[in-house]
Amino acid sequence: MVKAVLLHLSRGLSEDAPLAKALRDWVLDNLAWLDLGLRKRDATNWDALQQALQDWRLPEAPVPYVTEISDTLAELLGLDVENSTLLALLIGCDRLPKLQNLTEVVIGKGVDLPVLLAELCGVSAHEALRFVRRSPVFRLGLIGFQAYRSGVVSVDIKWALEKLLDRAPSHGEEFVDALIGPRHKTSLSMEDFAEVEDAPFLASLIAGAAREQAKGINILIYGPPGTGKTELARVLCREAGMRLHAVGEVDDDGEEPTRYDRVSALLLAQRVLKDGKEAAILFDEMEDFIGDAQRSSGDWMTRRDGSKVFVNRMLEDNPVPVIWTTNAVGNMDDAIIRRMSFVLKMDYPVRKARQRVAARICADEKVEFSREVADLVESAAESTTILRTAARASRLAGAGGSVERPAEVLVKTLRGGEMPNRVPQEIDLGLYNTEPSLGAVMESIAECGHSDVSLLLSGPPGTGKTAFAHHFATRLDKPLLTKRASDLLSKWVGGTERNIAEAFADARQEQGVLFFDEADSLMFDRGTASANWEAGQVNELLSWLDNHDQPVLAATNFASKLDAATLRRFDFKLELKPLDKAGLSHAFRRFFGAEAPLEIACMRNLTPGDFAVVRKQMRFNKSPSVHDITRALMKEARMKPETGLSIGFV
């Protein structure tokens, strides 16, 4: 390479030219290394030097490792002779000290480096810049030029190629992995994603696309962080018999790629893998691809990075299947979504899957899968996303560490300080005063096998409506999705309707029991609405109730405030009354282990919640007597308003 530069620049050059002097000085400084067969005083003669360069026979020497990498890369990319030569020269200018030093000297004398390198590749001077600009070496983001204020131009090795040169991998799979990205492996199987209904179809799609070398196959997987999007991509490719390369990710040195780096890495991977039938590409965190785009009014997207047409053509023409993952699609242009072969929304695992995943994580980390952990996983869907981190922290803490504590802290932080209500223990159906029996209704529903059932539970506070909702979901072996007014009501017009629709969609996705607590705030009498949009919220909820195919429960303390049309949407309307005489005696024995005195048996407004409150009070009495308990219960009864009206439905 040094010989080619010296011969090309010295040809026809007058010895008085500044460039000739610079070349002669450089040769004199490196005469021993060049081994031209000239003494130093002879080398000062320009004609003698030129002749020596013409006759120079290059000494036998090991090929530099960067040259080997250049040759292997050129073959892998299918470069022609000119572009292979250009790649070797560019790498040499950056990584071979003598060539780097020589090019710095001649650039300082006004030589245009891109033109020089193009001419060394056999390209004419007037085609030089066009050749360089259109070369795959530059278009694939491997190398560029860096221009300085002084006008000096130097070679700029880009992120992907720099990783390759720094690692100096051997040929074969290791070389490909270092160039385009690591191969992803997984210990999971399709069984671990049994709840993802479309997983078999996606695996078949990936296999078919590779088999037929179909272009423009893109799969988008989106959902909250930690829902297993990347892991599913790995499993799909393994099921399809494909290897999966993740492109444009952080390298071993922790260097952060830019959007340009990641897009260039995707283009490079497509070029390297396009002739094979056994590979797919993973582009994790698609936000880096679309940039900081945001939806605006109408069909406009603001703050878009890069060219829209460039992105569209990449999605249409990619020769290797790409799996894209992202946390949300709200800032994604519809033009991108339309070019996806399939879009899969992933949510947190359903109840059974969460327990299965949690048990495996605890086994992997060699910590106990305790009842407390099982309860947390049951009540907080996002707990599985942080459980491995929590389990590892517990294991490292030693015998004194507990998984549930770090897990609770992480869940609490994710929720902004709110901990989920833990799954209540088994309830006593003997504490419910309903007609017909609540237990009988629940068993008939569980045995019939129909999932499109709805129950409306009304009654005063403390009668156990919320506890029954948890028990009902457990009996049906379904997750419980609780929605309160604060979860659904929005200050924006149309926001509440959207939240209601999402609640029903989530319940259908999870195949779970949807429970509306404080239902009177959501199903209020439309005749009392002060604005049309308020009535629209009730209409939306009633419409979904008509068409939902999973169990729905609603609870209210004020049944009289519900819209009349609401009652027709529920198969069972159950009034949970205060305890009757038999229930009072049963509750006293259940909570306090003693027979109920006559004074308590005469009360008609006590609920199981009142007994629970008094039991908590008695914790502060070292040895409470039956009299102490009775007096506390009677006080609770006196504090309740006596309306003399029946509670429930007319």
Side-chain angles (χ1 to χ4, degrees):
M1 294 182 189
V2 169
K3 178 180 179 180
V5 172
L6 291 172
L7 283 173
H8 180 76
L9 292 177
S10 63
R11 187 178 301 115
L13 190 64
S14 168
E15 65 176 316
D16 297 328
L19 178 58
K21 184 178 183 304
L23 291 175
R24 185 168 53 237
D25 290 344
W26 187 89
V27 169
L28 291 173
D29 291 340
N30 295 274
L31 194 59
W33 178 82
L34 290 169
D35 193 19
L36 291 172
L38 285 177
R39 289 176 297 179
K40 191 167 186 177
R41 70 169 177 270
D42 295 330
T44 59
N45 184 285
W46 181 245
D47 293 333
L49 177 58
Q50 285 184 305
Q51 187 60 48
L53 289 173
Q54 291 285 352
D55 300 336
W56 185 19
R57 298 186 63 182
L58 299 179
E60 294 290 334
V63 177
Y65 84 93
V66 294
T67 303
E68 292 182 346
I69 290 177
S70 174
D71 293 342
T72 303
L73 180 57
E75 182 180 357
L76 190 63
L77 296 177
L79 301 181
D80 57 23
V81 175
E82 291 82 5
N83 283 290
S84 297
T85 304
L86 179 62
L87 176 63
L89 287 168
L90 288 164
I91 292 176
C93 288
D94 184 79
R95 294 300 176 105
L96 298 178
K98 294 298 183 182
L99 181 60
Q100 181 186 44
N101 179 245
L102 175 58
T103 54
E104 288 176 352
V105 168
V106 299
I107 290 171
K109 295 302 179 181
V111 173
D112 189 316
L113 181 60
V115 172
L116 169 63
L117 298 181
E119 290 177 345
L120 291 174
C121 295
V123 179
S124 61
H126 72 276
E127 288 287 334
L129 292 179
R130 182 173 179 270
F131 165 73
V132 170
R133 186 171 59 252
R134 299 187 61 180
S135 171
V137 175
F138 290 88
R139 294 168 70 94
L140 292 173
L142 293 172
I143 302 177
F145 286 112
Q146 179 71 44
Y148 299 94
R149 288 185 177 181
S150 61
V152 173
V153 175
S154 65
V155 174
D156 180 21
I157 301 293
K158 299 298 184 181
W159 187 75
L161 182 55
E162 187 172 35
K163 290 192 305 175
L164 186 68
L165 295 172
D166 290 344
R167 296 178 191 180
S170 58
H171 301 291
E173 294 182 355
E174 184 183 355
F175 189 94
V176 174
D177 293 351
L179 176 63
I180 65 175
R183 301 178 188 217
H184 276 224
K185 299 180 180 179
T186 180
S187 60
L188 302 184
S189 67
M190 291 288 279
E191 294 180 359
D192 294 294
F193 294 93
E195 292 79 10
V196 182
E197 182 180 351
D198 296 309
F201 170 81
L202 293 177
S204 299
L205 172 61
I206 295 169
R211 182 176 60 252
E212 299 184 14
Q213 293 187 295
K215 290 186 176 182
I217 303 302
N218 299 277
I219 297 172
L220 174 62
I221 304 176
Y222 76 98
T227 49
K229 300 182 292 294
T230 302
E231 203 65 49
L232 175 61
R234 295 166 179 163
V235 169
L236 292 175
C237 286
R238 191 176 72 175
E239 181 72 11
M242 311 272 286
R243 67 178 191 268
L244 180 67
H245 288 273
V247 300
E249 297 186 347
V250 63
D251 64 12
D252 291 341
D253 298 325
E255 184 180 350
E256 179 183 10
T258 64
R259 176 182 182 271
Y260 173 83
D261 292 332
R262 298 208 67 195
V263 173
S264 297
L266 176 60
L267 291 171
L268 179 62
Q270 294 283 0
R271 175 107 180 195
V272 170
L273 301 173
K274 67 181 178 65
D275 294 327
K277 297 183 179 181
E278 68 287 338
I281 295 172
L282 171 65
F283 197 103
D284 222 345
E285 308 296 348
M286 193 180 181
E287 294 89 336
D288 288 347
F289 180 72
I290 62 177
D292 194 24
Q294 295 182 5
R295 288 191 179 275
S296 186
S297 58
D299 298 328
W300 293 97
M301 300 293 293
T302 61
R303 302 172 67 177
R304 185 195 307 275
D305 290 337
S307 165
K308 179 178 179 179
V309 69
F310 173 77
V311 169
N312 291 346
R313 295 298 172 266
M314 280 190 67
L315 295 173
E316 293 170 352
D317 299 332
N318 55 306
V320 180
V322 181
I323 302 177
W324 308 83
T325 72
T326 184
N327 294 337
V329 294
N331 66 334
M332 196 172 294
D333 197 317
D334 290 344
I336 292 177
I337 296 177
R338 285 196 297 271
R339 286 168 170 80
M340 292 294 156
S341 307
F342 198 92
V343 177
L344 174 68
K345 180 183 180 183
M346 287 195 68
D347 213 326
Y348 295 118
V350 297
R351 175 174 165 267
K352 286 184 178 180
R354 291 202 300 271
Q355 296 290 349
R356 184 176 66 243
V357 170
R360 185 177 64 246
I361 290 174
C362 289
D364 291 345
E365 296 297 331
K366 296 180 174 57
V367 297
E368 180 188 1
F369 182 48
S370 64
R371 179 61 196 173
E372 290 77 12
V373 173
D375 286 348
L376 180 62
V377 171
E378 178 81 11
S379 58
E382 67 270 37
S383 58
T384 52
T385 69
I386 50 85
L387 193 58
R388 187 172 296 279
T389 302
R392 185 170 296 132
S394 173
R395 177 174 55 79
L396 293 174
S402 61
V403 180
E404 56 269 20
R405 179 55 185 159
E408 283 182 351
V409 170
L410 289 170
V411 170
K412 185 176 181 180
T413 304
L414 289 172
R415 291 187 168 221
E418 176 191 357
M419 278 300 295
N421 293 325
R422 289 301 185 90
V423 178
Q425 300 300 315
E426 190 74 17
I427 65 172
D428 185 347
L429 291 175
L431 297 174
Y432 287 84
N433 181 18
T434 62
E435 182 61 39
S437 165
L438 197 58
V441 172
M442 183 182 67
E443 289 305 314
S444 65
I445 293 172
E447 292 173 2
C448 75
H450 298 300
S451 60
D452 56 340
V453 63
S454 54
L455 290 83
L456 178 60
L457 309 175
S458 69
T463 48
K465 297 183 289 296
T466 301
F468 175 76
H470 284 276
H471 182 72
F472 182 78
T474 301
R475 178 65 182 84
L476 296 184
D477 196 24
K478 289 178 175 288
L480 182 70
L481 288 76
T482 301
K483 298 296 181 181
R484 299 177 179 83
S486 58
D487 299 321
L488 300 176
L489 296 178
S490 171
K491 64 181 179 179
W492 306 109
V493 175
T496 301
E497 289 89 334
R498 182 166 56 252
N499 293 339
I500 290 171
E502 289 178 356
F504 279 95
D506 290 343
R508 183 171 296 174
Q509 173 72 23
E510 288 263 323
Q511 298 287 292
V513 177
L514 183 56
F515 175 46
F516 292 105
D517 208 355
E518 305 167 358
D520 46 280
S521 299
L522 300 168
M523 307 177 190
F524 57 86
D525 187 349
R526 284 170 288 182
T528 64
S530 58
N532 290 336
W533 57 266
E534 291 180 319
Q537 298 171 6
V538 180
N539 294 336
E540 181 75 14
L541 201 151
L542 297 180
S543 175
W544 277 100
L545 284 172
D546 285 334
N547 298 287
H548 193 54
D549 60 358
Q550 295 298 316
V552 178
L553 271 69
T556 178
N557 298 335
F558 308 102
S560 60
K561 294 184 179 181
L562 297 179
D563 191 276
T566 298
L567 306 183
R568 297 194 298 273
R569 264 67 177 193
F570 287 93
D571 304 323
F572 296 91
K573 295 165 275 290
L574 300 168
E575 179 185 355
L576 280 63
K577 302 176 183 177
L579 294 167
D580 57 13
K581 185 175 181 179
L584 289 168
S585 298
H586 178 68
F588 203 95
R589 288 192 300 271
R590 173 69 185 268
F591 283 90
F592 306 111
E595 292 298 324
L598 293 177
E599 301 95 309
I600 298 301
C602 295
M603 298 300 300
R604 291 292 180 269
N605 63 348
L606 289 177
T607 67
D610 299 321
F611 281 82
V613 169
V614 171
R615 183 168 64 179
K616 288 182 178 180
Q617 294 175 9
M618 292 302 108
R619 293 180 302 166
F620 304 99
N621 189 329
K622 291 184 179 179
S623 55
S625 64
V626 171
H627 176 72
D628 294 332
I629 296 171
T630 302
R631 186 169 57 183
L633 284 169
M634 295 184 70
K635 183 178 180 181
E636 291 294 324
R638 284 194 298 268
M639 293 180 66
K640 292 190 169 189
E642 290 289 345
T643 63
L645 300 175
S646 60
I647 302 174
F649 303 98
V650 178

